Amino acid sequence: MCGIVAYTGPRDVAPVLLDALRRLEYRGYDSAGLAVLQTEESAPSLTIVRAVGKLDNLAQAISASDLPGQTGIGHTRWATHGRPSEANAHPHRSGPLAIVHNGIIENHLELKQALRAEGVEFQSDTDTEIVAHLLHKHLSPHGPREDALREALRRTLREIRGAYALAVVCEQAPDFVLLAKNSSPLVLGIGRGETLATSDIPALLSYTRDVVFLEDGELAELRPSGVHIETLDGTLVQRRSRRIDWSPVQAEKGGYKHFMLKEIFEQPRAIEDTLRGRLDLESGSLVLNELGLDAETARGISRICFIACGTSYHASLLGRHYVEKYARIPAQTELGSEVRYRDPVFTKGDLVIAVSQSGETLDTLAALEEAKRHGARTIALTNVLESAIARAADSALYTHAGPEIGVASTKAFTTQLVAMLMLSLELGRLRGTLPAPELLALLHALLEAPGSLRTTLEAHEAVLSVARKWHQSQNFLFLGRGLEFPIALEGALKLKEISYAHAEGYAAGEMKHGPIALIDEKMPVIVLIPDDRTYEKTFSNLEEVRARDGRVIAVATEGDERVKGVADDVLYIPKVHEAIAPLITTIPLQLLAYYVADLRGTDVDQPRNLAKTVTVE
Ligand code: M6R
């Protein structure tokens, strides 16, 4: 996830771009840059300034250069292709034009090969640079520049596949910025004698409160006099602007009260980004080239060991299920902080997968290094490009969830599950343990997951009313079986870390071995009971709770009247493939934790005693 900005109007553009980028910095901050169209000379020229690291570095670089000009584009980067470096920072230039991009170009490898064959030289490792060269290639030297640029962009967009919010400036088209959108956000601001475009509303509120949201498949043009929108095939789009009345703090969180809530609602989009370019339905396979796995390597794996902490550990417990079921490889899950002090046995046949949102958790990193010393093959499954764990492992599988600001991990968890499922399916395919029709059904189930998540999120009001009813309870018990047991653990962790209520996650079948003694009419018991192979067994556990006057909040599949008949409250989820259900049952639990914490008045995004990245032992 990156942030982009574009401006044209009467102001000095460099400070405008920098100010907007500061407000977009939460979207990525490993490098930044801007391009200014200087029109003081007789022939307009583009100046590009880029810097690695936080925006202050860019601000310093700008103060050292003379950047007069009223039209420009800017970018703050969160690396997805190519490590954070000045060469990989945006804008990227080709001939007279420069572009900034937020998103991922899926078919960048084949396009790059074709451009190279035509003699194009690349300056960066990014997928974005391809778009700049394609635009340049298609830019006709004839006719009005704006028309030529628009036509070149149309041709380019027909060739690229993936997600993008793009902004283009060209030396031959002063006071003009061209934009395009597909899947990545882009909002246009309409001021007096000035227009701008940004990835998010907060970045433009200092200039105007009148905004227009660009839709997928649309192009837009910024001129000081106003904006013009049309579809890719040239149909004019007339859309009324909306007035935004948010306070600056609200605006930063995209209108949500907390980053955590924003990140919960971002999950369908985050999962789309995890999946992007990785499912090949035609060949019935997964595109995970970054791992360098082939049939021989996959068959040579004797054991898979996941190592992680906290929420990533809970995701890894599910990873074990996926690996065992689909790849038929013995698997185990270890806590980073435990395994390293146990004199563990790692061998050359082991594949060790270190799972970490931040990629910096010290216990996970140290355990990974220990496994490497014993000759194990290692993979980092992380959200942060070039993080310590990504660098330490033999290869990395990135989740592409975008920066997670709330201390309580949400979208990192569900995207980890998706990445683990994809990896397990590919291993199963390579080892011949997963029949092709079953694999294809699972690929389709993965594709449908973001839609099911959206449907589940739409029912957030139902979770809020359950939270209102139970938020003062001191103790909560979460029960789940099979694939739902890790989700019960995660639901309890989420609730305790942000609401400070005591919460325990338990395997439903273990309740009778102890925790059943806790049950009384005051304790809410959250039972995860989707329509899966363990349904009947879990139903018996639910009845055991009811028989002891326990209060049941069930998470069940839409239409389940049987559960409704015995539970105090039911939170429904749509019917999905069994492997996807844990992603979906997670949503009501995240929302419940959030609403309970908010009703209790805690500091949701920065709960007491916690840190987002734990780099101590
Ligand atoms: O960055 P990591 O995934 O390695 O972080 C691991 C834990 O510190 C993290 O999941 C922690 O448990 C979160 N606060 C959970 O919400």
Side-chain angles (χ1 to χ4, degrees), residues 68-227:
Q70 281 83 40
T71 299
I73 54 179
H75 188 271
T76 177
R77 182 165 187 250
W78 191 78
T80 57
H81 292 77
R83 65 190 180 83
S85 69
E86 198 175 319
N88 288 336
H90 300 213
H92 290 284
R93 181 174 188 157
S94 187
L97 51 87
I99 70 164
V100 288
H101 166 222
N102 168 29
I104 297 172
I105 306 301
E106 285 176 20
N107 54 340
H108 67 105
L109 287 177
E110 58 198 79
L111 291 172
K112 193 169 191 174
Q113 253 173 13
L115 284 165
R116 272 208 176 117
E118 291 169 22
V120 174
E121 283 180 19
F122 283 84
Q123 312 296 323
S124 76
D125 304 320
T126 63
D127 50 340
T128 303
E129 195 186 343
I130 287 139
V131 184
H133 292 310
L134 280 176
L135 265 168
H136 185 200
K137 176 179 147 183
H138 295 317
L139 188 63
S140 154
H142 310 293
R145 293 297 69 205
E146 285 86 350
D147 293 353
L149 205 55
R150 199 181 306 114
E151 194 41 42
L153 183 60
R154 282 211 182 93
R155 289 184 65 183
T156 302
L157 296 182
R158 285 189 195 108
E159 287 177 59
I160 62 175
R161 256 195 347 260
Y164 50 79
L166 286 166
V168 187
V169 282
C170 181
E171 283 179 339
Q172 299 147 352
D175 308 328
F176 182 76
V177 184
L178 194 54
L179 307 149
K181 168 181 158 37
N182 185 45
S183 292
S184 302
L186 201 53
V187 55
L188 315 180
I190 303 162
R192 288 199 184 150
E194 59 186 350
T195 55
L196 61 165
T198 58
S199 299
D200 212 343
I201 296 169
L204 51 71
L205 288 184
S206 312
Y207 307 96
T208 178
R209 287 187 168 258
D210 294 322
V211 307
V212 176
F213 293 94
L214 207 59
E215 303 281 348
D216 286 351
E218 290 177 349
L219 311 185
E221 298 168 11
L222 299 184
R223 290 191 176 80
S225 54
V227 301

Side-chain angles (χ1 to χ4, degrees), residues 309-312 355-359 361 407-409 493-494 497 614:
C309 300
T311 288
S312 297
V355 184
S356 170
Q357 185 286 130
S358 61
T361 300
V407 163
S409 196
L493 172 62
K494 221 72 314 168
E497 75 178 319
V614 185

Side-chain angles (χ1 to χ4, degrees), residues 290-291 350-352 368 372 375-380 389-396:
E290 59 269 56
L291 302 182
D350 285 342
L351 172 63
V352 169
L368 169 80
K372 267 192 94 168
R377 185 188 174 101
T378 55
I379 293 179
I389 291 174
R391 287 198 307 270
D394 297 324
S395 56

